[in-house]
Amino acid sequence: MKIELINVSKIYKNDVKAVSDVNVTIESGEFFVLLGPSGCGKSTLLRMIAGLEDITEGILKMDGMVANNLDPSERNLSMVFQNYALYPHLTVEENILFGLYKKKNMSKTEKIKKCKDVAEMMGLEQYLKRKPRELSGGQRQRVALARAVVSEDPVCLMDEPLSNLDAKLRTNMRKEIKQLQKRLGITMIYVTHDQVEAMTMGDKIMVLRNGRVQQIGKPLEIYNSPSNTFVASFIGAPPMNLIPGCIENGEIILDGGHRLGSLRFQQKRSIQEIIVGIRPEHLNITDVNNRCSINFNFSVKYKEILGTETIITVELGRQEMFIRCNGQVDIPIGKEVGISVETDKICIFDKETGMLINQLSDYLNDVKMISS
Ligand SMILES: Nc1ncnc2c1ncn2[C@@H]1O[C@H](COP(=O)(O)OP(=O)(O)OP(=O)(O)O)[C@@H](O)[C@H]1O
Ligand SMILES: [Mg+2]
């Protein structure tokens, strides 16, 4: 089922504007992630789609039909809540059967057969007679999922369904949910504040901040070309390095005086004050005397050797900068190192608005390269 939101806003009774003017189309069969920090309006938006919350302004369409005033039970969707919301006094089987309460025409035997099938698919056959309290967190989560998918509704809404699980279980459940969604071909709207979940599960991501859409796009589009500094720092861990600087005579100069070396570009716009965004993996540690085009010297302030990679922190003025190195890089704290920048990957943001001006790689075609 295709879902469209047209200029949708939500103002709560206490005048809190939780969602502002959201426009988006969620295609049928898409895994769509709503991503943003706590309080940005994710649950509000999801609850408006579910019909659990009135839409203050704007239009919700489901398969082209206006659905603003449809009763939740008429919307053909299932929902999984953050706290699972299982009935504690019912068994696993009864909880799953609850997902079929709308199916008035289905016989009891048919319902039980469906429940068995889904339980098998979710690896829950041996727990059908247990109560939720006799299950682990991951098993309870699977019951909540089973109850949602048993209905075979074309849309499934999930609100932070994995937040109560430990790291390993989350990784497994991420895969399970994604596979289940593809197998059933349903439209998924999935709320999370976890950027890893968003990146790994989403066909598309919508980033929200203070109820406003910041960017809608495929995970890698958002990662590579964040529309503003908020998105840039929200996606990626450690986040993109955001370093204030300016453009002077077509040359980028970071605050503190570091020049982005031989790289110059013709100034086509009047923007002077900028923020330079560099992902940690686009910085490389070099010898102090390395003669590559853009090379700064810093001393190592902190290091995290994680096994497959090492995160080195250096100080640039009062600001920290993260560098992601492959493998185990054991550099003593305080040691002077050189850092080279993959300049074609950097992002330039307008300092005043925080908006992406352009990626430098887009400039390179009509850029005048002058070696210093
Ligand atoms: N029933 C309500 N009445 C008034 N204000 C509310 C209500 N529910 C939520 N809000 C406010 O609306 C804003 C958005 O809340 P919402 O629950 O949608 O955020 P969220 O993105 O889901 O956050 P979290 O990640 O913490 O769950 C918040 O400022 C919140 O305080
Ligand atoms: Mg929420």
Side-chain angles (χ1 to χ4, degrees):
M1 185 189 287
K2 177 167 151 179
I3 294 180
E4 288 162 276
L5 300 174
I6 304 160
N7 303 117
V8 167
S9 297
K10 173 72 187 182
I11 302 165
Y12 281 112
K13 287 200 183 72
N14 56 359
D15 277 350
V16 171
K17 192 157 193 185
V19 170
S20 295
D21 207 20
V22 169
N23 284 289
V24 65
T25 300
I26 300 164
E27 298 296 340
S28 186
E30 196 163 64
F31 198 116
F32 191 87
V33 176
L34 292 179
L35 176 70
S38 183
C40 73
K42 305 180 294 293
S43 297
T44 302
L45 201 54
L46 202 68
R47 291 171 59 82
M48 284 195 285
I49 297 170
L52 302 172
E53 206 67 73
D54 286 338
I55 297 172
T56 317
E57 283 164 20
I59 295 169
L60 165 70
K61 284 188 183 176
M62 301 178 118
D63 272 347
M65 309 279 280
V66 175
N68 287 46
N69 297 317
L70 281 187
D71 194 70
S73 62
E74 297 169 320
R75 296 191 184 201
N76 297 319
L77 44 80
S78 57
M79 191 156 174
V80 179
F81 298 92
Q82 176 171 357
N83 55 6
Y84 321 144
L86 298 177
Y87 297 102
H89 56 288
L90 300 182
T91 63
V92 167
E93 183 173 36
E94 289 161 340
N95 266 288
I96 298 175
L97 280 172
F98 209 86
L100 294 169
Y101 79 100
K102 277 186 276 179
K103 311 274 186 224
K104 304 274 186 268
N105 299 329
M106 201 182 270
S107 71
K108 180 90 188 178
T109 13
E110 232 179 315
K111 285 184 180 180
I112 288 174
K113 164 92 174 48
K114 268 222 156 356
C115 169
K116 282 233 161 62
D117 289 348
V118 171
E120 201 170 306
M121 184 167 78
M122 307 293 290
L124 289 167
E125 313 95 295
Q126 67 266 48
Y127 307 117
L128 284 172
K129 298 296 169 209
R130 289 203 202 170
K131 299 274 172 65
R133 65 167 180 277
E134 299 164 312
L135 300 175
S136 74
Q139 290 160 347
R140 279 180 220 173
Q141 185 56 56
R142 264 195 293 248
V143 177
L145 285 176
R147 184 179 57 187
V149 301
V150 74
S151 64
E152 297 178 357
D153 283 316
V155 182
C156 185
L157 310 180
M158 296 196 180
D159 194 347
E160 311 231 20
L162 306 184
S163 52
N164 294 336
L165 306 181
D166 68 47
K168 187 158 183 219
L169 209 50
R170 285 173 82 123
T171 313
N172 290 340
M173 291 301 292
R174 279 204 309 252
K175 245 186 279 168
E176 275 183 37
I177 291 176
K178 177 87 190 184
Q179 285 168 349
L180 193 65
Q181 180 263 343
K182 285 288 168 247
R183 180 151 29 123
L184 300 174
I186 53 180
T187 309
M188 175 74 81
I189 308 180
Y190 187 99
V191 163
T192 182
H193 61 263
D194 180 336
Q195 51 105 13
V196 176
E197 267 177 34
M199 290 293 293
T200 53
M201 298 171 89
D203 295 319
K204 246 192 214 154
I205 301 173
M206 175 161 97
V207 184
L208 276 176
R209 179 197 198 188
N210 295 336
R212 292 184 185 279
V213 176
Q214 305 293 302
Q215 189 167 9
I216 301 171
K218 292 182 185 155
L220 285 182
E221 282 168 7
I222 291 185
Y223 187 85
N224 294 332
S225 303
S227 63
N228 59 35
T229 48
F230 172 79
V231 178
S233 53
F234 199 75
I235 302 242
M240 185 181 265
N241 296 298
L242 294 173
I243 308 151
C246 63
I247 301 177
E248 234 176 66
N249 301 325
E251 190 177 24
I252 295 168
I253 303 170
L254 304 181
D255 279 9
H258 293 282
R259 282 163 191 272
L260 281 188
S262 63
L263 186 97
R264 288 162 185 253
F265 69 95
Q266 279 171 332
Q267 208 164 336
K268 289 197 275 188
R269 304 169 208 211
S270 59
I271 294 143
Q272 297 283 337
E273 300 273 292
I274 56 167
I275 303 276
V276 181
I278 313 175
R279 290 258 177 229
E281 61 271 29
H282 299 143
L283 291 168
N284 301 296
I285 302 268
T286 64
D287 287 343
V288 178
N289 298 319
N290 189 310
R291 288 239 159 261
C292 59
S293 59
I294 291 157
N295 188 10
F296 313 134
N297 293 351
F298 292 100
S299 62
V300 173
K301 192 180 169 209
Y302 189 69
K303 66 186 168 193
E304 290 175 294
I305 306 176
L306 300 168
T308 55
E309 63 176 22
T310 303
I311 310 295
I312 305 268
T313 309
V314 298
E315 213 160 30
L316 176 74
R318 262 171 292 152
Q319 195 170 347
E320 290 186 336
M321 206 157 75
F322 300 110
I323 302 150
R324 170 177 275 138
C325 312
N326 284 330
Q328 303 169 9
V329 181
D330 198 0
I331 304 174
I333 305 292
K335 186 177 160 58
E336 284 260 306
V337 292
I339 293 171
S340 66
V341 186
E342 292 176 36
T343 44
D344 58 334
K345 307 269 176 51
I346 69 182
C347 297
I348 305 284
F349 302 95
D350 184 336
K351 192 170 187 178
E352 206 177 301
T353 62
M355 300 300 283
L356 184 72
I357 296 172
N358 219 323
Q359 270 188 295
L360 222 47
S361 53
D362 297 335
Y363 274 97
L364 287 179
N365 288 334
D366 42 42
V367 158
K368 220 167 47 183
M369 296 289 284
I370 306 167
S371 47
S372 55

